[in-house]
Amino acid sequence: MNFTFSEEQVMLRDSARDFLAARYPIEKVAEIADGDGFDPADWPAVAELGWTGISVPEDAGGAGMGFLEEMVVIEELGRALYPGPFFSTVVLALPALQRSPELLERVLTGEAPATLAWAGPGGEFTSDRVSVGAGFGDEDDSGHLFGMTLFVPDLAQASLVVVPAMVDGGMALWAVEADAEKSDRAPLPTVDTTRRLGSFSLEGAEARLLAGPDEAGMLLESIRDRALAALAAEAVGVASRALELSVEHASTREQFGKPIGAFQMVSAELADAYVEVEQARSLAYWAAWAVAHGSPDAPVAAAGAKAYAAEAAVRTCERAIQVHGGIGFTWEHPLHRYYKRALWIAAYLGWPADQRERVAASLLD
Amino acid sequence: MNFTFSEEQVMLRDSARDFLAARYPIEKVAEIADGDGFDPADWPAVAELGWTGISVPEDAGGAGMGFLEEMVVIEELGRALYPGPFFSTVVLALPALQRSPELLERVLTGEAPATLAWAGPGGEFTSDRVSVGAGFGDEDDSGHLFGMTLFVPDLAQASLVVVPAMVDGGMALWAVEADAEKSDRAPLPTVDTTRRLGSFSLEGAEARLLAGPDEAGMLLESIRDRALAALAAEAVGVASRALELSVEHASTREQFGKPIGAFQMVSAELADAYVEVEQARSLAYWAAWAVAHGSPDAPVAAAGAKAYAAEAAVRTCERAIQVHGGIGFTWEHPLHRYYKRALWIAAYLGWPADQRERVAASLLD
Amino acid sequence: MDFRDTLDEAAFREQLRAWLDENIPPGWGEPGHREPEELHERVAFYKDWSGRLYEAGFVGITWPEDYGGRSGPLTHQVIALEEFARSGAPEHMNVIGLGMAGPTILAHGTDEQKATYLKPILTAEHVWCQGFSEPGAGSDLAALSTRAERDGDHYVVTGQKVWSSFAHIADYCILLTRTDPSGRKHEGMTYLILDMNAPGVEVRPLRQITGDSEFNEIFLDGVRVPVENVLGAEGNGWAVAITTLMNERASLGIALTVRLEVALRRLVELARETPRNGGRAADDTLVRDRIAELWCELQALRFTNYRSYSQFLASGMPGPEGSTAKLVWSEANQRLTKLALEIQGPYAMLSGGDHAYRDGIWQRLQLRSRGNSIEGGTSEILRGIIAERVLGLPKSR
Amino acid sequence: MDFRDTLDEAAFREQLRAWLDENIPPGWGEPGHREPEELHERVAFYKDWSGRLYEAGFVGITWPEDYGGRSGPLTHQVIALEEFARSGAPEHMNVIGLGMAGPTILAHGTDEQKATYLKPILTAEHVWCQGFSEPGAGSDLAALSTRAERDGDHYVVTGQKVWSSFAHIADYCILLTRTDPSGRKHEGMTYLILDMNAPGVEVRPLRQITGDSEFNEIFLDGVRVPVENVLGAEGNGWAVAITTLMNERASLGIALTVRLEVALRRLVELARETPRNGGRAADDTLVRDRIAELWCELQALRFTNYRSYSQFLASGMPGPEGSTAKLVWSEANQRLTKLALEIQGPYAMLSGGDHAYRDGIWQRLQLRSRGNSIEGGTSEILRGIIAERVLGLPKSR
């Protein structure tokens, strides 16, 4: 048993933090968020660092580390409110795209940011019923997709889209070029403008089969676990930063002749926030470990971690806004951006109560 | 619109408070609670005050006031943790016993404390399915009851028991002598020893019909509304007293060189308790008014008031124990008795979530 | 205690409802209806509407007839607040004038000030704003540093105010200043009536978390205010400001309650209209429990307000227990709007557009709600008032 | 980071489980099993059991071999705490000796004190209790007034202690006294080892909210304590007491977590066994949501503890973040036991008897849980420690 980061993990964390501090100070993030929502020039620089292939085996061109290391980076991305397509590309799309060495190559080099188009207008993220249908094409691994998806993260930045679509025999996973003919991508106005959503409509667009019905369900479920664990880690990063900002503010802002952090109504809130963030961190690390090691606990650990960490991040941001007072309610102050990300995390793939129902089913049924 | 007590109500409240302070100081209540649970000699004194007939019309021997006035007294009974059979006799049993002038007379004079034996081992308080069955006897209004009830408040003190029991055609309400032959009453060990429960088994005991199937259902539902509103008022009394004790303690107990009420971790809790108690009071008064005037809002107002006030009382007592520290956790200190009463109120007739489901049904279905 | 209207109250309510039925502008409040785009058109619309409300007799109900009011009972005022909010009618535009400036002038103004300022508040001829908070003095209002220096028969005012709604369209401002910086901080404050058109007044909008700008900053640079514009007396500003704040909280309670009632009604609609697992979100036990909880909180708030209004009626002064309403409302509104996000599932991520429920209204309301526990007295300040002034606990700061 | 046992850890865990399987007294923990009625029989039973635990090598795992320990790794200690709690085996009776007195003697004791006191703690030959809190000094421990006056080679101790578990059967007490009442309150305190059989020591049980008596009051009237029983140095008692409290919290975390794990398992049973509307309480969405929430809190607590233990391992000293575990546990346990009441419906009103679920055990546990946020450092004190010592916020008292 050992519950601290390895030296390698500490180095990875520090280098990620340094890179993000230099490249994505919060003023830059705000500029991107109030502008186009992303900066296409930056993704190759991120790929350059090797982050696209952290958990890809060395012989496939990756760094040969694991999901734990990916989580170390994701927590830092959350802290920095990094506005690029890491989550969509590496967490959501890569596990399926890895099935094709050619597509993997495009992802690893940074040439092709990618994403996953899962839920349709029903808003459900299931692995056995999806809103897109597919017909096989001339070749074994080619097909044509028909249907509509919503809530596709970073779609505007993506070159490749993984799409679960039904064929005879069940659901299969497909890759589509984001600008394929007979497809249409449209931006969806998104509260968190650092991670925008899009709708992807398919009216016969050409697709390449990544995983057939015999294995796609399990693969998509494992992508869900990965994504939930990743979002938990990201939430921890978001919450940690919001808490830091609050402690700084409470230590310096004076009212009634004292720093406001000397008032217990303030300090007790921050102490509770600390406790929740540390509890969330514990779950996030556990979930990441379980996903990394393919533990049978992974689905329930990931669901529990996402539920808890998302709520902790939302609440920590709310406490942070309250402690900051009026200034924390302004557009100028960065806090609202952390808050919107925390809410995004809470909503994507199902709100905390939905995740808890998955936990309850494993305990009670 | 007028939301203050009338002069008459203020007088009633003050006289109730004075009587209870003199007759039932908390030391006396503790003695009763740690002894037999009641003092049979005291009930006639309460009846003497006219409290048994507050809402009974004058021409039937009562005081001719209404349920609002009853509520004024009930709040005071809650504050004092009065350990006698007022709730069981006046709130639960009287509306049905009033059907018989003779039984009413016995209740009004204080000769016969009474109660209601509703739920069976299933623990459900419903008006269409009860666990006791009845067969009609030789006379129209006589019968014999068979079955088992639990959770009967103040059964050990009662002379008369109202029992809902099924006959052909539905549920009817019956009166049984508490010591009737072919019946058995047994005490149930109860957490709140100031309002003990009993089990009442009927193996053919003689009963008198109070309300037949055509009207018993509505009558029992109106008793439920009365009881819920009464419990809300009682909860307000309990919570108010627990809050007062806490404010007194926080104003005098010193730690770190100051009264502990000067620490915001303490004062904020007490401020929140105050807010909850006042909110509960508003609902309790509204519910009592709605019951008193037979308003169509009565069922939902009573359910909402009981849910909110019970939770407010439980939480206020919990805060009170916390603010008192170790001393609030001892048997010697009266707080635990208020807490146990608050929990009793929360549990009887259905916990707050059950009451809220009744509210939700009226809003959403 | 009687929760029903008296005959007189019922008649007034009926009259008001009938007037509103006939007079609310067509299409108002329906989906797709938009207010005029241009600021001056919006101001013209609201001035006209407010004037009509006044003419119809629904503004200044409790204010003295001498100053344009109707010398009516407080219960009619309560009924008017309720029915206006319930009807969804446009608001009288002079929120600060009616709720804060007017009552303060009534309590502390000279006869001349009353004659000059009160009636144009009711008719919305003059729009008012408030200049209390400063960047360095938020919860600690008495720490304010906007200086007013006497120069002949004027004060020369320099400083900065913040969180001022309506300042960009206001004619007058109730302005709290420091005239004597040497004394203790609650002393040496003076309450002025500021003409917003005076030279040296600059107003800049403040963008908030939702992207909208409801509030403004006011920059004051050597603004000359005549001495007859002092409200109360020089050095007595703190006491006058307390009157303003107590009146704000007293009139706010009822309005906030009805606002919550309207929000809850819309939440119920949302829950009924949103599909969930083949049924409706309204069938989800967790959603039901939380809606019922909010309903209880709302009803309780309504009657808590009425009870504290009855106290007000008896004593003539709003009491410190008025802090309860704002505290309860802000937290209930935050829970309510959060629940509205959860009910929407992933649609809660959308800020608008064709796919969002009613153009993402709930997402804006939810973000906006985070200000509720800060604006008009933070929850921390309100808890402190309850602890110290209602419960009598020792001072904690 | 690796959440699995190493081979060595797995072997130790296996060995411990096997030993427990064979050695837990027959019938222990099963419904209907009762401990011996008489106090002296209970004490004899627990002394024997504790001695056997020691002989088997599961007590004092990290303590030095020189003093009867095994000089083993901290991870084995963690494993032992977990497996003991999970197995439901009787506890080693010397809770205070192992968790508080021993580590303090190890840190501050003389060689002679170590040689005298440590091994009998492990074997339970000597049972220890704690004398810190006083009626006038609860959270404000340093305000204690129990006087110890030097008289030749003894101190003469007079005062009153409260909330002392095991005092009625203890051989020794770690006693915090005031030797110099003139100085500031954190100075002039001295930490003594008190022989509970000394003349002038009187112990009275304290009845608590559940009706049970877990704790005692200790009355000290002119009790003579030899000077060689000072732990640390005269006047240095506060620093020594802090060592005791930090160690208490560090060792507590893991034990509390497993206790919560056991409670949650029983709650799941309760929810499955309780009928509700024709199904089980476990089918109720509200119950499911809250059980899942508690499960998340529990798992988080487990790994938060492990993480803070890893810190302990690295630094050799328990850190202030250890306060987290106690804070989280006490509130989680309060929520858990409250939920257990609600699941029981009206049966929650029964304190025992044939009709109550498992003799009303949950009702007692629920009442008992209210002490969790008071005993061993109130939640207010723990939040203060986190705010000031972990987050570095300014002092708030």
Side-chain angles (χ1 to χ4, degrees):
Chain A
M1 295 190 293
N2 167 19
F3 303 95
T4 49
F5 282 178
S6 67
E7 240 172 87
E8 197 180 26
Q9 289 162 344
V10 169
M11 279 174 52
L12 182 61
R13 182 194 65 196
D14 292 349
S15 74
R17 193 172 293 189
D18 292 347
F19 171 82
L20 291 162
R23 193 105 183 185
Y24 293 100
I26 191 69
E27 301 74 28
K28 172 81 178 296
V29 171
E31 205 185 299
I32 291 173
D34 291 349
D36 290 339
F38 67 103
D39 177 353
D42 275 332
W43 182 242
V46 168
E48 186 91 1
L49 292 171
W51 290 358
T52 44
I54 290 177
S55 63
V56 173
E58 284 183 81
D59 54 17
M65 294 187 279
F67 186 69
L68 259 182
E69 285 71 24
E70 219 156 273
M71 177 210 76
V72 168
V73 170
I74 290 168
E75 183 181 336
E76 295 306 314
L77 294 170
R79 271 181 66 87
L81 272 191
Y82 167 72
F86 186 93
F87 173 70
S88 52
T89 305
V90 178
V91 177
L92 294 179
L94 189 63
L97 294 174
Q98 249 175 303
R99 300 298 180 102
S100 151
E102 180 213 332
L103 297 178
L104 173 62
E105 171 74 15
R106 285 172 62 193
V107 169
L108 288 183
T109 57
E111 181 235 306
T115 188
L116 170 68
W118 189 344
E124 282 169 31
F125 293 84
T126 51
S127 58
D128 50 355
R129 276 175 299 130
V130 294
S131 63
V132 176
F136 275 102
D138 302 336
E139 283 164 63
D140 266 6
D141 66 346
S142 82
H144 298 277
L145 306 190
F146 299 85
M148 164 82 163
T149 60
L150 290 175
F151 318 115
V152 187
D154 297 326
L155 180 62
Q157 306 182 49
S159 301
L160 287 168
V161 187
V162 175
V163 185
M166 302 304 287
V167 288
D168 281 351
M171 187 273 296
L173 286 168
W174 307 79
V176 185
E177 299 291 330
D179 55 2
E181 278 179 41
K182 301 184 188 159
S183 80
D184 185 48
R185 53 176 165 170
L188 294 169
T190 310
V191 177
D192 176 6
T193 53
T194 64
R195 183 176 286 155
R196 301 189 190 185
L197 301 165
S199 68
F200 195 42
S201 318
L202 299 145
E203 295 119 27
E206 212 170 302
R208 178 192 297 195
L209 185 70
L210 296 170
D214 53 329
E215 48 177 4
M218 268 184 64
L219 180 53
L220 192 55
E221 286 299 326
S222 81
I223 291 172
R224 184 210 299 274
D225 296 342
R226 255 173 92 79
L228 292 173
L231 290 173
E234 186 175 272
V236 169
V238 168
S240 301
R241 186 67 192 130
L243 177 59
E244 275 173 23
L245 290 171
S246 305
V247 169
E248 275 169 40
H249 182 78
S251 303
T252 50
R253 165 80 169 175
E254 295 203 358
Q255 295 274 273
F256 306 104
K258 286 197 266 188
I260 59 171
F263 295 108
Q264 290 188 341
M265 286 194 207
V266 172
S267 61
E269 287 292 315
L270 295 180
D272 284 341
Y274 167 82
V275 168
E276 286 178 20
V277 173
E278 288 309 304
Q279 290 278 88
R281 188 185 306 281
S282 296
L283 284 171
Y285 290 1
W286 176 44
W289 181 87
V291 166
H293 288 79
S295 153
D297 288 340
V300 65
K306 153 71 153 72
Y308 193 103
E311 284 189 346
V314 167
R315 258 203 300 260
T316 300
C317 290
E318 289 171 352
R319 286 177 159 132
I321 292 170
Q322 184 69 21
V323 165
H324 278 75
I327 191 75
F329 187 66
T330 60
W331 191 270
E332 272 58 52
H333 199 282
L335 267 181
H336 71 96
R337 303 183 192 278
Y338 291 91
Y339 187 42
K340 289 166 183 172
R341 175 65 68 85
L343 288 168
W344 195 100
I345 293 170
Y348 187 70
L349 295 181
W351 285 82
D354 301 327
Q355 306 304 331
R356 281 196 293 270
E357 174 49 38
R358 302 177 68 208
V359 171
S362 87
L363 292 174
L364 295 167
D365 295 343
Chain B
M1 294 190 293
N2 167 18
F3 304 95
T4 50
F5 281 179
S6 67
E7 241 172 86
E8 196 179 27
Q9 288 163 346
V10 170
M11 277 175 53
L12 182 62
R13 182 194 63 197
D14 292 349
S15 74
R17 194 173 293 188
D18 291 347
F19 171 81
L20 291 164
R23 193 106 181 185
Y24 293 100
I26 191 69
E27 301 74 28
K28 172 83 178 295
V29 172
E31 204 185 299
I32 291 173
D34 290 349
D36 289 340
F38 67 102
D39 177 353
D42 276 331
W43 181 242
V46 168
E48 187 90 1
L49 291 170
W51 290 359
T52 43
I54 291 176
S55 63
V56 173
E58 284 184 80
D59 54 18
M65 294 187 280
F67 186 69
L68 259 181
E69 285 71 25
E70 220 157 272
M71 177 210 75
V72 168
V73 170
I74 290 168
E75 184 181 334
E76 294 306 314
L77 294 170
R79 271 180 66 87
L81 272 191
Y82 166 71
F86 186 93
F87 174 71
S88 52
T89 304
V90 179
V91 177
L92 293 179
L94 189 63
L97 294 174
Q98 249 176 302
R99 300 300 178 101
S100 152
E102 181 214 331
L103 297 179
L104 172 61
E105 170 74 15
R106 286 172 61 194
V107 169
L108 289 183
T109 57
E111 181 235 305
T115 188
L116 170 68
W118 189 343
E124 282 169 32
F125 294 83
T126 52
S127 57
D128 50 355
R129 274 176 299 131
V130 293
S131 64
V132 176
F136 275 103
D138 303 336
E139 286 164 63
D140 266 6
D141 66 346
S142 80
H144 299 276
L145 307 190
F146 299 85
M148 163 81 163
T149 60
L150 289 175
F151 318 115
V152 186
D154 296 326
L155 180 62
Q157 306 182 51
S159 301
L160 288 168
V161 187
V162 175
V163 184
M166 302 305 286
V167 288
D168 280 354
M171 187 272 296
L173 285 169
W174 307 79
V176 184
E177 299 291 330
D179 55 2
E181 278 180 41
K182 299 183 190 160
S183 80
D184 184 49
R185 52 176 166 172
L188 293 169
T190 310
V191 177
D192 175 6
T193 53
T194 64
R195 184 175 285 154
R196 301 189 190 185
L197 301 165
S199 69
F200 195 42
S201 317
L202 299 144
E203 293 118 29
E206 214 171 298
R208 179 191 297 195
L209 185 69
L210 297 170
D214 53 329
E215 47 178 4
M218 269 185 61
L219 180 54
L220 192 55
E221 286 299 327
S222 80
I223 291 172
R224 184 210 300 275
D225 296 342
R226 255 172 93 77
L228 292 173
L231 290 173
E234 186 175 271
V236 168
V238 168
S240 301
R241 186 67 193 130
L243 177 58
E244 276 173 22
L245 290 171
S246 305
V247 169
E248 277 168 39
H249 182 78
S251 304
T252 50
R253 164 81 169 176
E254 295 201 358
Q255 296 271 275
F256 306 104
K258 286 197 265 189
I260 58 172
F263 295 106
Q264 291 187 341
M265 286 194 207
V266 172
S267 61
E269 288 291 315
L270 294 180
D272 284 341
Y274 167 82
V275 169
E276 286 178 20
V277 173
E278 289 308 305
Q279 290 278 88
R281 189 185 305 281
S282 297
L283 285 172
Y285 290 1
W286 176 45
W289 181 87
V291 166
H293 289 77
S295 153
D297 288 340
V300 64
K306 153 68 152 74
Y308 192 102
E311 283 188 348
V314 166
R315 258 202 300 258
T316 300
C317 290
E318 289 171 352
R319 287 177 159 130
I321 292 170
Q322 185 70 21
V323 165
H324 277 77
I327 191 74
F329 187 66
T330 60
W331 191 270
E332 272 59 52
H333 199 282
L335 267 180
H336 70 98
R337 303 184 192 276
Y338 292 90
Y339 187 43
K340 289 166 184 171
R341 175 66 67 86
L343 288 167
W344 195 100
I345 293 170
Y348 187 70
L349 295 181
W351 285 82
D354 301 327
Q355 306 304 331
R356 281 195 293 270
E357 175 48 38
R358 301 177 68 208
V359 171
S362 87
L363 293 174
L364 295 167
D365 296 342
Chain C
M1 201 175 313
D2 198 331
F3 288 60
R4 289 167 301 195
D5 287 346
T6 61
L7 287 178
D8 167 63
E9 289 161 1
F12 180 73
R13 198 185 290 274
E14 203 37 63
Q15 177 204 349
L16 184 47
R17 280 189 185 164
W19 189 91
L20 285 168
D21 270 356
E22 268 180 39
N23 289 278
I24 292 180
W28 183 266
E30 284 165 24
H33 179 85
R34 297 250 183 267
E35 297 188 16
E37 192 98 352
E38 292 292 323
L39 180 63
H40 73 271
E41 288 178 45
R42 275 209 304 283
V43 169
F45 167 79
Y46 275 101
K47 285 215 174 195
D48 173 63
W49 171 253
S50 304
R52 288 170 56 210
L53 289 179
Y54 176 74
E55 290 308 322
F58 302 132
V59 185
I61 292 167
T62 61
W63 292 20
E65 285 183 271
D66 291 352
Y67 301 117
R70 302 177 61 87
S71 299
L74 201 53
T75 49
H76 285 203
Q77 176 62 47
V78 171
I79 289 169
L81 284 167
E82 283 187 349
E83 293 302 325
F84 270 106
R86 264 179 212 152
S87 72
E91 284 189 73
H92 190 287
M93 81 183 302
N94 213 353
V95 175
I96 307 293
L98 293 173
M100 302 178 79
T104 310
I105 292 169
L106 272 168
H108 296 279
T110 61
D111 288 347
E112 209 190 315
Q113 287 172 332
K114 291 180 192 169
T116 308
Y117 297 114
L118 290 177
K119 189 168 171 195
I121 286 176
L122 298 176
T123 60
E125 189 185 333
H126 295 160
V127 175
W128 287 66
C129 68
Q130 187 232 53
F132 281 22
S133 288
E134 299 183 1
S139 285
D140 187 8
L141 179 57
L144 62 84
S145 63
T146 291
R147 279 288 278 133
E149 287 184 347
R150 184 70 177 262
D151 177 27
D153 54 0
H154 281 74
Y155 291 95
V156 180
V157 184
T158 299
Q160 184 187 345
K161 296 288 177 180
V162 74
W163 302 115
S164 185
S165 29
F166 304 99
H168 58 302
I169 56 167
D171 303 286
Y172 289 98
C173 176
I174 43 177
L175 185 74
L176 203 52
T177 67
R178 182 161 305 285
T179 35
D180 177 4
S182 66
R184 288 171 48 209
K185 73 179 186 180
H186 288 83
E187 292 147 23
M189 288 164 66
T190 299
Y191 197 116
L192 298 175
I193 295 171
L194 169 73
D195 180 346
M196 290 295 284
N197 296 310
V201 177
E202 192 197 338
V203 175
R204 289 185 212 152
L206 201 56
R207 194 173 180 206
Q208 70 205 33
I209 189 170
T210 53
D212 302 329
S213 296
E214 264 174 79
F215 302 99
N216 302 277
E217 294 177 288
I218 307 177
F219 297 86
L220 302 162
D221 184 8
V223 182
R224 296 183 69 83
V225 179
V227 290
E228 61 264 30
N229 282 17
V230 171
L231 198 51
E234 180 174 316
N236 194 27
W238 182 248
V240 182
I242 294 293
T243 305
T244 305
L245 295 176
M246 298 283 263
N247 274 286
E248 179 191 19
R249 267 162 220 157
S251 64
L252 207 60
I254 308 277
L256 294 180
T257 306
V258 190
R259 218 189 279 175
L260 191 63
E261 176 184 308
V262 172
L264 185 62
R265 197 160 59 217
R266 291 193 181 140
L267 182 75
V268 165
E269 272 170 32
L270 171 69
R272 285 175 152 164
E273 291 169 7
T274 304
R276 168 84 54 91
N277 299 333
R280 319 164 303 164
D283 303 324
D284 178 320
T285 310
L286 290 170
V287 170
R288 295 170 74 81
D289 190 64
R290 287 162 72 191
I291 288 181
E293 206 161 47
L294 285 164
W295 181 88
C296 291
E297 200 77 75
L298 166 66
Q299 303 307 327
L301 182 58
R302 178 195 319 285
F303 297 114
T304 300
N305 268 316
Y306 287 156
R307 290 197 298 120
S308 102
Y309 240 78
S310 293
Q311 288 297 110
F312 185 5
L313 209 61
S315 71
M317 257 299 279
E321 72 283 351
S323 297
T324 305
K326 162 71 163 54
L327 194 55
V328 168
W329 169 76
S330 59
E331 297 189 353
N333 194 45
Q334 290 172 346
R335 286 205 304 278
L336 190 155
T337 51
K338 181 79 69 65
L339 179 55
L341 296 195
E342 294 182 36
I343 287 173
Q344 293 175 74
Y347 285 87
M349 294 185 286
L350 306 183
S351 61
D354 296 341
H355 292 284
Y357 180 84
R358 302 207 179 164
D359 203 32
I361 175 73
W362 284 109
Q363 280 71 298
R364 282 192 295 287
L365 291 174
Q366 193 275 329
L367 290 169
R368 179 64 186 80
S369 78
R370 301 319 307 181
N372 299 157
S373 49
I374 298 170
E375 60 197 326
T378 64
S379 293
E380 289 80 3
I381 290 292
L382 299 178
R383 285 197 172 88
I385 290 174
I386 291 170
E388 290 168 28
R389 302 197 37 219
V390 181
L391 297 178
L393 288 168
K395 252 185 102 64
S396 68
R397 11 171 201 88
Chain D
M1 201 176 313
D2 198 330
F3 288 61
R4 289 167 300 195
D5 287 347
T6 61
L7 287 179
D8 166 61
E9 288 160 1
F12 179 72
R13 198 186 289 276
E14 204 36 62
Q15 178 204 348
L16 183 46
R17 282 187 184 166
W19 189 90
L20 286 167
D21 271 355
E22 268 181 38
N23 288 279
I24 291 182
W28 182 264
E30 285 166 23
H33 179 84
R34 297 248 181 269
E35 297 189 17
E37 192 95 354
E38 292 291 325
L39 179 65
H40 73 270
E41 287 177 47
R42 277 208 305 283
V43 170
F45 166 80
Y46 275 101
K47 284 216 173 194
D48 173 64
W49 171 253
S50 304
R52 286 171 57 211
L53 290 178
Y54 176 74
E55 290 307 323
F58 303 130
V59 185
I61 292 166
T62 61
W63 293 21
E65 284 183 272
D66 290 352
Y67 302 117
R70 301 177 62 88
S71 300
L74 202 51
T75 49
H76 285 204
Q77 176 63 46
V78 171
I79 289 169
L81 284 167
E82 284 187 347
E83 294 301 326
F84 269 105
R86 263 179 213 153
S87 71
E91 284 189 73
H92 190 286
M93 79 183 303
N94 214 354
V95 174
I96 307 293
L98 293 173
M100 302 179 78
T104 311
I105 293 169
L106 272 168
H108 295 279
T110 61
D111 287 347
E112 208 189 317
Q113 287 171 332
K114 292 180 191 169
T116 308
Y117 296 115
L118 291 175
K119 189 169 172 195
I121 287 176
L122 298 176
T123 59
E125 188 186 336
H126 295 160
V127 175
W128 287 65
C129 69
Q130 186 233 54
F132 280 22
S133 288
E134 298 184 2
S139 285
D140 186 8
L141 180 58
L144 61 85
S145 64
T146 290
R147 277 288 278 133
E149 286 184 347
R150 183 69 177 261
D151 177 26
D153 55 358
H154 280 74
Y155 291 95
V156 180
V157 183
T158 297
Q160 184 188 345
K161 295 289 176 179
V162 74
W163 302 116
S164 184
S165 29
F166 304 100
H168 59 303
I169 54 167
D171 302 287
Y172 290 97
C173 176
I174 43 178
L175 185 75
L176 203 53
T177 66
R178 182 161 306 286
T179 35
D180 178 4
S182 66
R184 289 171 46 208
K185 73 180 186 180
H186 289 83
E187 292 146 23
M189 287 164 67
T190 300
Y191 196 117
L192 298 175
I193 295 171
L194 169 72
D195 179 345
M196 290 294 285
N197 296 310
V201 176
E202 193 198 338
V203 175
R204 288 186 213 151
L206 200 57
R207 196 171 178 209
Q208 71 204 33
I209 189 169
T210 53
D212 302 330
S213 296
E214 264 175 80
F215 301 100
N216 302 276
E217 293 179 289
I218 306 177
F219 296 86
L220 303 162
D221 183 9
V223 181
R224 297 183 68 81
V225 179
V227 291
E228 62 263 29
N229 282 19
V230 171
L231 198 52
E234 180 173 316
N236 194 30
W238 182 248
V240 182
I242 293 293
T243 305
T244 305
L245 295 176
M246 298 284 263
N247 273 286
E248 179 191 19
R249 267 162 220 158
S251 65
L252 209 59
I254 307 278
L256 293 180
T257 306
V258 190
R259 221 191 276 176
L260 191 63
E261 177 183 309
V262 171
L264 184 62
R265 196 159 58 216
R266 290 191 182 144
L267 181 75
V268 165
E269 272 170 31
L270 171 69
R272 286 176 151 164
E273 290 170 6
T274 304
R276 168 84 53 91
N277 299 332
R280 319 165 302 164
D283 303 326
D284 178 321
T285 310
L286 291 170
V287 170
R288 294 170 76 80
D289 190 63
R290 288 162 71 190
I291 288 181
E293 206 161 46
L294 285 163
W295 181 89
C296 291
E297 200 77 74
L298 166 67
Q299 304 306 328
L301 182 58
R302 179 195 320 285
F303 297 114
T304 301
N305 267 317
Y306 287 156
R307 291 197 298 122
S308 102
Y309 241 79
S310 294
Q311 287 298 110
F312 185 5
L313 209 61
S315 71
M317 258 297 280
E321 72 283 350
S323 296
T324 305
K326 162 70 164 52
L327 195 55
V328 168
W329 169 78
S330 60
E331 298 189 353
N333 193 45
Q334 290 171 347
R335 287 205 304 278
L336 189 155
T337 52
K338 180 78 70 64
L339 178 55
L341 296 195
E342 294 182 36
I343 288 174
Q344 292 175 74
Y347 285 88
M349 294 185 285
L350 307 183
S351 61
D354 295 344
H355 292 284
Y357 181 83
R358 302 209 179 162
D359 204 31
I361 176 74
W362 283 109
Q363 281 70 298
R364 282 192 294 287
L365 291 173
Q366 193 275 329
L367 290 170
R368 180 63 186 81
S369 78
R370 302 317 308 181
N372 299 157
S373 49
I374 299 171
E375 61 198 324
T378 65
S379 292
E380 289 80 2
I381 290 291
L382 299 178
R383 285 196 172 88
I385 291 174
I386 291 170
E388 290 168 28
R389 302 194 40 216
V390 181
L391 297 178
L393 288 168
K395 250 184 105 63
S396 67
R397 15 173 197 87

